[in-house]
Amino acid sequence: MNSKTSDPTVPLAPHERLRGWGGMSAPGREIRSEDLRAVTEGAVLSRGLGRSYGDASLPPPGVTEVVGTSLADRMLAFDPATGVLRAEAGLSLAALARAFLPQGWFTPVSTGTWFVTLGGMVASDVHGKNHHVAGTIGRHLRSLVVRLPSGEIVTCSRDQHPELFFACQGGMGLFGHILEVELALEKIPSPWVWQESYQCPDLDSLLDTLEASASWPMTACWIDTLATGGSFGRGLAMRGRWAERREAPPRMPAPGLSPTVPFDAPSWTLNDLSMKAFNFVWYHKQLREAAIGPVTPHAWFTPLDAVKHWSRAYGKRGFTQHQAVIPREAGRDKVRGFLEILSRRGGTGFLCVVKDCGPQGEGLLSFPRPGTSVALDLPVNDGIQDLIDELNRYVIDVGGRIYLTKDGYTRREHFEAMEAERLPAFHAARDRWDPERRLRSAMSVRLFGDPVGPATTTGAGR
Amino acid sequence: MRVAVLGATRGMGREVARRLAERGDTLVVLARDAGAGEAMATDLRIRGARDTAFVPCDLADPTTFAPALDAATAFLHQLDAVVVTAGLFGTQEQLEDDLDLCARVLDVDFTKTILFCEHARTRLLERGGGTLVVFSSVAGDRGRKTTGLYGATKAGLSHYLESLDHKFRSAGLVTITVKPGFIRTGMTAGLKEAPFAADADDVAPLVVKAMDRAAPVVYTPRIWQLVMLVIRYLPRFVMRRVGF
Ligand SMILES: Cc1cc2nc3c(=O)[nH]c(=O)nc-3n(C[C@H](O)[C@H](O)[C@H](O)COP(=O)(O)OP(=O)(O)OC[C@H]3O[C@@H](n4cnc5c(N)ncnc54)[C@H](O)[C@@H]3O)c2cc1C
Ligand SMILES: NC(=O)c1ccc[n+]([C@@H]2O[C@H](COP(=O)([O-])OP(=O)(O)OC[C@H]3O[C@@H](n4cnc5c(N)ncnc54)[C@H](OP(=O)(O)O)[C@@H]3O)[C@@H](O)[C@H]2O)c1
């Protein structure tokens, strides 16, 4: 039975707004149901747990309803011989981890939060700390069941409708509603992670350590964005691998406390002073220069999940993230130059994560490519558009690109300049699968010039 | 534990069954729809249940109760606990406007639920006791403008469940009344969220903990215990004035 109770003809009440993770919002309501086949019929967009930062999961202006997939979360089949799991698109990584860590399996690609859905992971073609060896989630997919913009439901894979299969990876929900995901899990020797973490006093030593760790299956760096002068770019370089059973504590790892930030904090809570304190404490949290040993997978993959709704700590105006990859061939100085933009502007960066990326994924607009990825959390203030514009001009100059699922502010012309090579194929695929642009989001209106308003049956085109 | 769950195909029942599955319990999914029941049995097995089965049972049709519980007992060998989350909902306006729907909600949520509990109770007592967990609601704690009709079934149900616990606890039967606040399930999709809204995922661990500790009443999220303590003692003239 379908529990859909809403109706697009009922006007929205003022409280009905949908939010991206950073706080960007738009009028709209979510239709949630266990029955994705029923609710996606005629729908303009699906969203998962809304962990994309900007407007990727928000409806285009004039559209009131978006499908919320998180109740459709059944595991449909699992083969313990191969590790292949088939599940509904709303299954969260948190639920997957809870069920499978004790059984010796885990997702082959883990994001920095487990409050994401399989559908959202595919639609953003996500990467994790193992990107340099494991690639994006797309590499581990076996098949998808998708409701096409035409309404038809099809299964796609490397052999069946491969163009659709790859278009959905990083397709930001625009090629169809993903109903089911078939994914090969990774066999793990224990549910603990062996971590080595090193304090690096400046940018060069940090990037050296990252490079020297490339043979490790998982790596990432955190940079103290407020350190200047000789300490510019100092931070922690972290590398890890699944712990062997003999190295692991003889019990199941438990997540830390899960306090929650109940409402938007006043905007003074995260001022420059508190950011300085945060960065200082994080950098010095290891009093020894290196911290080596087993840690819980929660602490390793998702240190921020310990505080539910931490994004509210940024206050009412919220925040955004700018994640860009600086191509390897551009050289290390370009990474330094990128970070210098921030410090020149008074160092408003709060969290800065750096990661080396491996080969590009197969999705039409998949984000990672060989080079250095830099992700910056930025509080929203009057200068945010200028700052993003400046960062984007720099990214264009060095031949890099940005990650759509983190974005809410990039200008269309900047995006077109970064993606001049790949966009024609992306538009051609949309012309083929969705000539009328029935599937749209606030992001697709902003970046691809999609029409606003409810879906029409006459070709709205671009 | 060996547990039969009526309502595991969706919502909070789904999450409670999953928590039990993850600790290796053996589970029977009692449901009216075979496709949904079988799929849920598979989900629970993948998540770690020792074994699972689907058994047909329709809360609207009491002739299915005895055969369903007998089949569940046969599969489980021994019935340790029965969980009932199945139920219907309608907003106060929907129920006032549509008396057929109103009759169905009153009948299923009150009469049929109690009849089902009577069948479950006798089977649990036959084997010397066990645990009966039934989902009522904070809506049954006080007569309110916004949930009068639905709340009346839950008030009656809570009353019945409390009496069971008093009468049969010494015979080994633990009766647990679960009183959720606003939970984001299919039942509440499209409704304006009430304060302290939570997810089914937040409710389930509290219910499993109550089963382990034989706690007679569980408010979920916990804050509702305090809120309802106050609400239960609010004078009528105050209740009448607030929109609550
Ligand atoms: C703290 C934090 C850490 C993160 N770390 C990483 C990281 O390490 N690596 C990384 O790659 N990303 C990371 N992300 C980003 C996150 O993984 C992506 O934004 C992901 O898409 C969010 O999943 P979701 O289910 O919340 O999707 P939403 O945010 O709800 O949606 C994201 C996009 O997916 C589409 N979508 C969702 N479900 C479906 C579906 N069923 N069918 C079709 N389209 C769908 C939406 O339309 C939208 O375009 C992080 C985010 C946060 C908040
Ligand atoms: N959600 C809330 O905010 C809330 C608050 C307080 C109390 N409650 C109570 O908590 C309980 C669970 O609610 P929920 O939100 O989890 O509901 P839900 O998501 O709507 O799930 C209801 C479950 O009951 C089953 N069911 C309904 N009628 C049935 C019938 N005739 N025979 C067999 N199974 C039947 C459904 O099975 P099908 O899949 O076959 O439909 C489904 O599994 C209910 O008693 C509800 O009144 C809920």
Side-chain angles (χ1 to χ4, degrees):
Chain A
M1 220 179 69
N2 167 24
S3 52
K4 177 174 172 176
T5 52
S6 63
D7 174 353
T9 58
V10 176
L12 291 169
H15 69 266
E16 294 187 285
R17 293 185 76 82
L18 292 168
R19 278 170 60 116
W21 181 242
M24 190 173 259
S25 71
R29 67 169 84 93
E30 221 174 69
I31 329 171
R32 275 176 278 120
S33 166
E34 279 87 353
D35 188 350
L36 272 194
R37 278 168 211 257
V39 279
T40 51
E41 214 179 321
V44 170
L45 191 71
S46 280
R47 81 197 304 246
L49 285 165
R51 254 51 177 198
S52 52
Y53 279 64
D55 51 3
S57 70
L58 303 181
V63 172
T64 50
E65 294 190 342
V66 170
V67 170
T69 64
S70 61
L71 295 181
D73 63 349
R74 282 179 305 191
M75 297 187 183
L76 301 171
F78 178 66
D79 180 352
T82 58
V84 173
L85 170 72
R86 190 159 60 83
E88 292 175 314
L91 179 70
S92 75
L93 267 195
L96 188 150
R98 229 176 55 218
F100 278 105
L101 282 173
Q103 302 189 47
W105 296 96
F106 193 59
T107 174
V109 170
S110 169
T111 43
T113 172
W114 286 346
F115 296 115
V116 295
T117 62
L118 293 185
M121 291 173 75
V122 173
S124 300
D125 199 17
V126 298
H127 58 278
K129 288 178 167 169
N130 58 359
H131 184 264
H132 61 294
V133 292
T136 55
I137 192 77
R139 194 191 286 182
H140 310 273
L141 295 178
R142 294 298 169 90
S143 68
L144 302 171
V145 177
V146 180
R147 180 190 284 282
L148 297 177
S150 67
E152 196 188 337
I153 295 181
V154 300
T155 301
C156 60
S157 66
R158 277 162 206 283
D159 308 317
Q160 251 175 307
H161 305 297
E163 333 74 50
L164 179 70
F165 183 62
F166 295 122
C168 287
Q169 300 174 23
M172 305 312 290
L174 301 175
F175 289 92
H177 303 276
I178 300 167
L179 308 179
E180 291 174 18
V181 175
E182 194 179 35
L183 170 76
L185 301 185
E186 182 188 357
K187 184 92 196 136
I188 53 174
S190 85
W192 293 78
V193 173
W194 184 269
Q195 166 189 281
E196 298 190 357
S197 154
Y198 299 94
Q199 272 185 18
C200 303
D202 56 33
L203 189 63
D204 271 324
S205 70
L206 191 80
L207 294 177
D208 285 343
T209 313
L210 190 61
E211 268 168 36
S213 307
S215 63
W216 283 66
M218 300 187 268
T219 60
C221 295
W222 163 87
I223 288 187
D224 176 354
T225 44
L226 299 169
T228 52
S231 316
F232 180 78
R234 76 176 182 186
L236 297 180
M238 290 165 273
R239 59 196 195 188
R241 57 176 169 75
W242 289 101
E244 292 305 323
R245 191 164 296 172
R246 65 191 150 70
E247 300 165 332
R251 55 175 195 279
M252 278 308 297
L257 271 181
S258 185
T260 165
V261 178
F263 41 73
D264 291 332
S267 52
W268 46 260
T269 29
L270 288 184
N271 56 21
D272 265 10
L273 198 69
S274 57
M275 288 189 189
K276 277 201 176 95
F278 173 88
N279 279 282
F280 184 84
V281 169
W282 196 309
Y283 182 71
H284 290 285
K285 78 175 177 166
Q286 311 173 202
L287 294 173
R288 285 160 296 135
E289 279 178 7
I292 294 176
V295 293
T296 66
H298 313 83
W300 171 254
F301 291 107
T302 65
L304 291 170
D305 282 356
V307 184
K308 224 178 176 180
H309 301 301
W310 56 265
S311 65
R312 291 173 179 164
Y314 276 93
K316 271 229 158 17
R317 295 195 69 180
F319 69 117
T320 186
Q321 191 175 87
H322 189 273
Q323 183 169 1
V325 60
I326 311 293
R328 183 154 302 147
E329 58 273 18
R332 194 181 272 190
D333 275 353
K334 298 298 185 204
V335 177
R336 176 184 299 274
F338 188 70
L339 292 169
E340 277 169 356
I341 299 178
L342 259 203
S343 52
R344 210 173 47 242
R345 285 179 156 261
T348 44
F350 186 49
L351 253 184
C352 172
V353 177
V354 170
K355 160 87 196 124
D356 53 327
C357 292
Q360 181 165 306
E362 296 163 294
L364 294 181
L365 284 186
S366 179
F367 163 69
R369 51 155 295 161
T372 307
S373 152
V374 181
L376 301 161
D377 275 9
L378 305 166
V380 170
N381 53 36
D382 295 337
I384 190 70
Q385 186 66 52
D386 280 354
L387 175 58
I388 300 278
D389 287 348
E390 186 174 352
L391 293 170
N392 281 339
R393 278 192 293 270
Y394 188 93
V395 171
I396 295 167
D397 278 347
V398 301
R401 62 169 72 129
I402 57 143
Y403 192 8
L404 284 182
T405 206
K406 305 288 178 75
D407 184 54
Y409 291 91
T410 292
R411 294 179 194 275
R412 184 176 175 185
E413 60 271 24
H414 287 163
F415 190 69
E416 286 172 348
M418 288 170 206
E419 294 288 2
E421 238 173 75
R422 299 196 297 173
L423 268 179
F426 176 79
H427 288 315
R430 283 192 84 199
D431 288 341
R432 162 156 186 219
W433 297 102
D434 190 10
E436 291 158 6
R437 300 296 188 262
R438 290 188 182 167
L439 266 54
R440 283 167 290 140
S441 62
M443 172 175 273
S444 81
V445 170
R446 172 170 61 90
L447 290 178
F448 310 130
D450 282 357
V452 300
T456 52
T457 39
T458 53
R462 262 181 304 123
Chain B
M1 267 209 297
R2 297 141 189 270
V3 190
V5 188
L6 177 61
T9 49
R10 290 192 281 121
M12 290 183 268
R14 191 182 257 200
E15 285 308 317
V16 171
R18 283 171 175 171
R19 294 281 166 165
L20 297 172
E22 282 162 16
R23 40 185 231 181
D25 288 355
T26 308
L27 297 164
V28 166
V29 176
L30 299 170
R32 54 182 163 174
D33 180 86
E38 296 283 8
M40 206 52 218
T42 303
D43 174 272
L44 297 171
R45 211 170 313 128
I46 297 172
R47 286 173 198 255
R50 181 178 305 256
D51 201 359
T52 62
F54 153 71
V55 168
C57 181
D58 183 350
L59 185 56
D61 178 4
T63 62
T64 64
F65 298 170
L69 285 165
D70 288 342
T73 311
F75 175 80
L76 297 169
H77 301 301
Q78 174 183 308
L79 186 62
D80 296 326
V82 177
V83 179
V84 185
T85 70
L88 296 179
F89 178 77
T91 63
Q92 185 69 8
E93 296 78 57
Q94 283 167 342
L95 298 178
E96 284 172 1
D97 293 350
D98 179 348
L99 288 183
D100 289 337
L101 175 67
C102 184
R104 237 175 321 146
V105 169
L106 295 178
D107 181 43
V108 168
D109 287 1
F110 180 70
T111 310
K112 300 287 165 54
T113 304
I114 289 180
L115 280 178
F116 180 84
C117 292
E118 283 296 296
H119 281 274
R121 164 183 78 75
T122 46
R123 276 166 184 75
L124 289 167
L125 284 169
E126 265 165 28
R127 61 155 284 243
T131 309
L132 176 64
V133 184
V134 186
F135 277 51
S136 182
S137 170
V138 295
D141 275 13
R142 196 70 207 263
R144 282 154 51 184
K145 291 176 188 166
T146 48
T147 49
L149 290 161
Y150 164 81
T153 70
K154 296 298 191 184
L157 181 62
S158 297
H159 185 101
Y160 160 76
L161 294 168
E162 182 182 351
S163 70
L164 273 194
D165 199 42
H166 294 323
K167 183 162 180 199
F168 296 111
R169 182 85 55 154
S170 54
L173 177 68
V174 172
T175 306
I176 300 176
T177 309
V178 183
K179 298 183 178 180
F182 186 104
I183 311 298
R184 299 182 197 95
T185 63
M187 189 173 270
T188 55
L191 300 181
K192 182 174 183 200
E193 276 188 19
F196 316 116
D199 296 308
D201 204 22
D202 302 318
V203 173
L206 298 176
V207 174
V208 173
K209 199 188 259 175
M211 291 171 76
D212 289 343
R213 296 187 179 171
V217 180
V218 207
Y219 285 89
T220 64
R222 276 209 199 93
I223 178 79
W224 280 101
Q225 182 158 5
L226 271 173
V227 174
M228 292 318 295
L229 184 70
V230 175
I231 301 272
R232 276 205 308 278
Y233 291 100
L234 273 188
R236 263 179 186 250
F237 75 91
V238 178
M239 276 303 276
R240 188 163 304 153
R241 258 178 238 168
V242 294
F244 185 69

